[in-house]
Amino acid sequence: MEETDVKEKILKGAEELFKKYGVRSISMDDIARHLSVSKKTLYQHFADKEDIVTMACKAHLEKNAKEFERVMETAKNAIDELAKLSVCLKRNMQDLNPSLLFDLQKYHPRAWAEWVNHKNKFIRCSVVRNLKQGIEEGYFRPEIDPEVIASMRLELVQLAFDEEIFPREQFRLTEVQMQIFDHFVYGVVTDKGRKLYQKYKEVNHHQPSTIL
Amino acid sequence: MEETDVKEKILKGAEELFKKYGVRSISMDDIARHLSVSKKTLYQHFADKEDIVTMACKAHLEKNAKEFERVMETAKNAIDELAKLSVCLKRNMQDLNPSLLFDLQKYHPRAWAEWVNHKNKFIRCSVVRNLKQGIEEGYFRPEIDPEVIASMRLELVQLAFDEEIFPREQFRLTEVQMQIFDHFVYGVVTDKGRKLYQKYKEVNHHQPSTIL
């Protein structure tokens, strides 16, 4: 196998484990066992667990960005984009361990910095652009300030992971994210946008696999 | 003057200064000078600045709670309540130093605890009750989960004060609070609720003094 293939395989395997169990509880031993490789192989490609966490986080965010870009390219308008993102978000949240994000913040500053950078650059730009486009198309309320509403949206993505605010014995991550996402959309739309969002949601609900 | 009157006068004067300049930059000397009393008088009624900050915070939150209760009592329905609260919020935010809240969090844990307690008990209950009422009245979307949306709303009140997210050279506190509040309302309403909210806003805009 090519060296880059091995590296990618390790990152993919580590990502699977982190998503399922969070980052904190997963050791180099766990990763080696999950991939049926020796620990020596892991250390040939990565300095330590911190290195794997950072690289896996980076790879995951790049994959996410590509997925979002595909949505933007194929979306017919700002509302269609949100309806499609809603399906992606739901899929991405399912089976995700809610402690993942705050594990990074507390124990993996380099990976956390990757997320903050992704949030403040890529996601912020996408949200602001979507809001401006929706206003121009007459689907979003012209009174909204795209910069304020985008900043709010970015924080809310993160908020849903906060177990102090949404304790896991009371709330499910996917449920919280979807409640907050839907509230976000209803908060920005005009009457015309609202009708269209409901229509798209209805369609995606019946044919979720065709949206991308 | 009665002892309790002196105490109240000090708290009222301190509150004025804190609102205008934040808590951190105000000393016992500033409070004494502002009220034209001696520092000795301050120390006869309060142990130290921390004590004044905590008591002023408590008094302010109690006043707020009374104002909100008056709104709830006179509101004709869940939408009317939000429209009236919007006017209160705007008035309360004007001339408020945005650094106030995070000064408390960083330097005055007792006063911060008062705020957190007020937020998690009084405000949370009010928001959940308003949301349930609105759903029953057919003004709010029945799909919303009042507990999730209330938790989100509580965090957003606080978020607007965060100068890392809304730097003061770029954003005005009142503007941010009102953008987020309006977005919150539009996010929960049905078509019927939306029409009514717009009607009430129109009325309050022209007769702001008559709403309370």
Side-chain angles (χ1 to χ4, degrees):
Chain A
M1 222 194 289
E2 292 270 342
E3 282 300 287
T4 50
D5 289 346
V6 179
K7 228 175 153 163
E8 263 178 36
K9 191 187 146 202
I10 294 172
L11 289 177
K12 200 165 163 285
E15 191 188 331
E16 285 162 11
L17 289 176
F18 296 153
K19 276 187 181 167
K20 200 163 172 187
Y21 303 105
V23 175
R24 205 181 170 200
S25 61
I26 296 298
S27 66
M28 290 296 259
D29 280 308
D30 294 325
I31 299 171
R33 205 174 308 120
H34 178 66
L35 290 165
S36 307
V37 299
S38 67
K39 267 173 83 177
K40 204 183 138 208
T41 309
L42 295 186
Y43 284 110
Q44 269 165 357
H45 294 87
F46 299 95
D48 48 22
K49 181 181 153 186
E50 173 76 17
D51 200 19
I52 295 190
V53 174
T54 309
M55 300 301 286
C57 180
K58 216 170 161 163
H60 173 78
L61 294 174
E62 273 164 19
K63 207 166 62 189
N64 254 16
K66 275 194 191 131
E67 189 182 15
F68 278 23
E69 270 161 5
R70 211 157 56 238
V71 167
M72 288 170 214
E73 280 161 19
T74 59
K76 292 190 280 286
N77 52 56
I79 296 278
D80 189 26
E81 187 177 320
L82 290 180
K84 282 174 169 155
L85 284 180
S86 148
V87 178
C88 294
L89 183 67
K90 192 168 182 174
R91 195 179 46 220
N92 287 338
M93 289 302 137
Q94 239 126 31
D95 311 313
L96 192 67
N97 190 309
S99 70
L100 183 64
L101 198 63
F102 286 90
D103 272 6
L104 296 186
Q105 183 175 27
K106 276 186 227 150
Y107 309 107
H108 300 281
R110 273 170 58 209
W112 176 253
E114 291 288 342
W115 156 249
V116 171
N117 184 49
H118 178 76
K119 181 181 83 167
N120 289 339
K121 292 195 177 145
F122 180 76
I123 308 188
R124 164 176 292 283
C125 287
S126 311
V127 178
V128 170
R129 189 206 35 72
N130 174 265
L131 290 173
K132 287 181 177 170
Q133 185 187 328
I135 293 173
E136 269 189 33
E137 292 169 343
Y139 292 126
F140 294 170
R141 295 185 292 117
E143 313 91 73
I144 60 170
D145 179 331
E147 297 295 335
V148 172
I149 298 301
S151 294
M152 179 192 80
R153 176 68 198 133
L154 297 184
E155 294 313 304
L156 288 178
V157 173
Q158 221 168 279
L159 189 79
F161 286 92
D162 194 321
E163 300 192 64
E164 280 185 36
I165 295 164
F166 298 107
R168 287 312 142 201
E169 57 277 17
Q170 200 185 340
F171 300 102
R172 282 181 51 232
L173 174 63
T174 312
E175 195 50 47
V176 172
Q177 284 285 14
M178 299 324 291
Q179 277 279 331
I180 292 178
F181 185 87
D182 248 23
H183 177 272
F184 169 72
V185 179
Y186 282 107
V188 297
V189 290
T190 56
D191 283 338
K192 183 178 140 190
R194 186 183 185 101
K195 284 193 189 89
L196 194 61
Y197 183 61
Q198 273 156 346
K199 197 181 115 191
Y200 284 142
K201 270 185 59 158
E202 194 71 14
V203 174
N204 290 343
H205 183 72
H206 292 109
Q207 315 167 292
S209 58
T210 63
I211 71 135
L212 284 177
Chain B
M1 222 194 294
E2 292 270 340
E3 282 301 287
T4 51
D5 289 347
V6 179
K7 228 174 153 164
E8 263 178 35
K9 191 185 145 201
I10 294 172
L11 290 177
K12 199 166 165 282
E15 191 187 332
E16 285 162 11
L17 290 176
F18 296 152
K19 276 188 182 167
K20 200 162 173 187
Y21 303 105
V23 175
R24 205 183 170 197
S25 60
I26 296 298
S27 66
M28 289 297 258
D29 280 308
D30 294 325
I31 298 171
R33 205 176 306 120
H34 178 65
L35 289 165
S36 307
V37 299
S38 66
K39 266 173 82 176
K40 203 182 138 209
T41 308
L42 295 187
Y43 284 109
Q44 269 164 358
H45 294 87
F46 298 94
D48 47 22
K49 181 180 151 185
E50 174 75 17
D51 199 20
I52 295 189
V53 173
T54 309
M55 299 301 286
C57 180
K58 215 168 162 164
H60 172 78
L61 294 173
E62 274 165 17
K63 209 166 61 189
N64 255 16
K66 275 195 190 128
E67 190 182 14
F68 277 25
E69 271 161 5
R70 213 158 51 237
V71 166
M72 288 169 215
E73 281 162 19
T74 60
K76 291 190 281 285
N77 52 56
I79 296 277
D80 189 26
E81 185 177 321
L82 291 180
K84 283 175 168 152
L85 284 179
S86 150
V87 179
C88 294
L89 183 67
K90 192 168 183 175
R91 194 180 45 219
N92 287 339
M93 289 302 138
Q94 238 127 33
D95 312 314
L96 192 67
N97 190 309
S99 70
L100 183 64
L101 199 63
F102 287 91
D103 272 7
L104 296 186
Q105 184 175 27
K106 275 187 229 150
Y107 309 108
H108 300 280
R110 272 170 57 209
W112 176 253
E114 291 288 343
W115 156 249
V116 171
N117 184 48
H118 177 76
K119 182 181 81 166
N120 289 340
K121 292 197 178 143
F122 181 77
I123 309 188
R124 163 176 293 281
C125 286
S126 311
V127 177
V128 171
R129 190 205 36 73
N130 174 265
L131 290 173
K132 287 182 176 169
Q133 186 187 328
I135 293 173
E136 268 188 32
E137 293 169 343
Y139 292 126
F140 295 170
R141 294 186 293 116
E143 313 91 73
I144 61 169
D145 179 331
E147 296 295 333
V148 172
I149 299 300
S151 294
M152 179 192 80
R153 175 67 198 134
L154 296 184
E155 293 314 304
L156 288 177
V157 172
Q158 221 169 279
L159 189 80
F161 285 93
D162 194 322
E163 300 193 65
E164 279 185 35
I165 295 164
F166 298 108
R168 288 312 143 201
E169 57 277 18
Q170 199 185 340
F171 299 102
R172 283 181 51 231
L173 174 63
T174 311
E175 195 50 46
V176 172
Q177 284 285 15
M178 299 324 292
Q179 277 278 333
I180 292 178
F181 184 87
D182 247 25
H183 177 272
F184 168 73
V185 179
Y186 281 107
V188 297
V189 290
T190 55
D191 283 338
K192 183 179 140 189
R194 188 184 183 101
K195 286 193 188 89
L196 194 61
Y197 183 60
Q198 274 157 345
K199 198 183 114 190
Y200 284 143
K201 271 186 58 159
E202 194 70 15
V203 174
N204 291 343
H205 183 73
H206 292 110
Q207 314 167 291
S209 58
T210 63
I211 71 134
L212 285 178

